[in-house]
Amino acid sequence: AAPQGPPVYVDLAYLPGSWSARTVDEEFFRRIRSLCYVVSGDDHLKEGVLRPLLDALLTGKHQWGIDIQVTLIPTFDSLVMHEWYQETHERQQELGITVLGSNSTVAMQDETFPACKVEF
């Protein structure tokens, strides 16, 4: 366990993918307070740890005690993400969490992929 200390405030935090996502728990969200969290890692390993990670965001954010709007930016489409969004939508609104979905795509060279623009 890491020693206790004051929370760290950042504008943008990337949440780890694959097996490293298991290290992101409610303590992470209590201590790393970001305006935007990017959930990346579209792979089969992420699906197994995605729901606990998203629930940890709700639990951790609840303990902030201050009203800061948070944006969650998934970089992939996921059934787990859709289910979590629908099941916890009211709680997300209470906590000031917005899940940013995008229908925009970017074409670069021979590749097209979904994208969104984040401004600070």
Side-chain angles (χ1 to χ4, degrees), residues 66-117:
I66 53 176
D67 188 25
I68 296 176
Q69 182 67 34
V70 168
T71 302
L72 181 67
I73 306 168
T75 63
F76 59 97
D77 195 22
S78 162
L79 179 58
V80 172
M81 177 69 75
H82 286 277
E83 289 173 351
W84 175 83
Y85 179 82
Q86 291 177 346
E87 292 170 11
T88 65
H89 188 258
E90 186 174 308
R91 182 85 171 124
Q92 294 167 41
Q93 289 180 321
E94 291 170 5
L95 293 170
I97 298 173
T98 301
V99 179
L100 186 64
S102 176
N103 292 330
S104 299
T105 57
V106 172
M108 291 179 59
Q109 298 168 351
D110 296 332
E111 188 178 8
T112 301
F113 48 90
C116 66
K117 180 180 179 181

Side-chain angles (χ1 to χ4, degrees), residues 3-101:
Q4 290 295 324
V8 176
Y9 292 87
V10 296
D11 290 330
L12 182 69
Y14 284 88
L15 302 176
S18 298
W19 288 109
S20 297
R22 294 178 299 159
T23 64
V24 178
D25 58 9
E26 65 185 70
E27 180 66 18
F28 173 89
F29 290 108
R30 275 196 299 255
R31 298 185 70 181
I32 308 297
R33 300 179 180 187
S34 182
L35 296 177
C36 298
Y37 292 102
V38 177
V39 182
S40 61
D42 185 12
D43 59 43
H44 68 283
L45 298 175
K46 186 68 165 228
E47 286 291 313
V49 296
L50 185 58
R51 182 62 191 243
L53 183 147
L54 296 170
D55 289 339
L57 169 62
L58 295 176
T59 304
K61 174 76 166 69
H62 174 73
Q63 297 179 27
W64 288 12
I66 53 176
D67 188 25
I68 296 176
Q69 182 67 34
V70 168
T71 302
L72 181 67
I73 306 168
T75 63
F76 59 97
D77 195 22
S78 162
L79 179 58
V80 172
M81 177 69 75
H82 286 277
E83 289 173 351
W84 175 83
Y85 179 82
Q86 291 177 346
E87 292 170 11
T88 65
H89 188 258
E90 186 174 308
R91 182 85 171 124
Q92 294 167 41
Q93 289 180 321
E94 291 170 5
L95 293 170
I97 298 173
T98 301
V99 179
L100 186 64

